Amino acid sequence: MLADWVGPAQVAALLVLAQRGLEDLHSQRNTRALIAEGAVEAGRGYYPVVAVTHLAWIASIFFLIPSEAPVIWPLLVLFLLVQIVRYWVIGALGRYWTHRIITLSEAPVVRAGPYRWLKHPNYAVTLAETLLLPWLFGAFALGVIMTAVWTAVIRYKIELEDAALAKRRATA
């Protein structure tokens, strides 16, 4: 029966999948607009690694966490607070926010919002939520493993992004 294998973790995974799907539509719209203005994409060949890692994280929550796993409520609250920061990051970047590394030579380097304190707050959010979501269902090892995987993926993406933005940062 469906209720036997669908619990809070599976519902959370589906909600995150829907959230990221809507974000992807927003990202695609921003990407198309920036490309139309003359922006270029860096690290295009690496994007599938990022996308697959993200989907693997969501799938691992759906398939590897038992449906009867309890919810650790303080961690749920913390995860939801991280989502607020996530949208603060997206809002700070405005029309420049995309999932990809898109750079427009005349665009300003964003230093507002969370970018006042961190060079890459979006990636800090990604790592925090990657750890927290499995943890809030008691899947501590899964959280650590997926965060380690994401750390490697993001570390390389940051190198690509920093190289793409180096010229703009030097003149800012």
Side-chain angles (χ1 to χ4, degrees):
M1 196 162 144
L2 184 64
D4 292 335
W5 63 271
V6 175
Q10 290 70 37
V11 171
L14 291 173
L15 288 172
V16 169
L17 184 63
Q19 174 194 35
R20 302 309 154 86
L22 291 172
E23 287 175 11
D24 193 53
L25 294 174
H26 179 62
S27 170
Q28 289 176 25
R29 184 176 57 236
N30 286 350
T31 297
R32 282 191 301 273
L34 290 167
I35 296 292
E37 291 179 50
V40 295
E41 182 175 358
R44 182 182 185 97
Y46 192 64
Y47 181 73
V49 173
V50 175
V52 167
T53 303
H54 205 103
L55 289 172
W57 170 66
I58 295 169
S60 71
I61 291 163
F62 189 91
F63 291 111
L64 298 179
I65 298 176
S67 62
E68 67 277 1
V71 175
I72 302 172
W73 295 103
L75 292 178
L76 175 61
V77 171
L78 190 55
F79 179 80
L80 293 174
L81 291 173
V82 169
Q83 297 312 294
I84 292 169
V85 176
R86 175 183 193 75
Y87 288 106
W88 185 28
V89 168
I90 292 170
L93 287 174
R95 68 187 201 93
Y96 302 108
W97 180 82
T98 73
H99 287 151
R100 297 175 178 270
I101 302 169
I102 306 293
T103 185
L104 184 63
S105 61
E106 62 272 3
V109 175
V110 175
R111 300 202 191 281
Y115 288 89
R116 284 180 284 189
W117 298 288
L118 290 174
K119 190 174 177 183
H120 297 285
N122 189 59
Y123 303 134
V125 165
T126 298
L127 294 175
E129 67 189 4
T130 300
L131 185 69
L132 285 171
L133 190 55
W135 278 19
L136 76 90
F137 301 107
F140 300 107
L142 180 60
V144 170
I145 291 166
M146 289 308 300
T147 302
V149 170
W150 254 125
T151 299
V153 170
I154 287 173
R155 185 174 174 179
Y156 186 67
K157 187 176 181 198
I158 287 172
E159 289 177 21
L160 294 170
E161 189 172 301
D162 284 347
L165 297 175
K167 187 175 181 182
R168 285 183 31 223
R169 284 189 175 138
T171 59

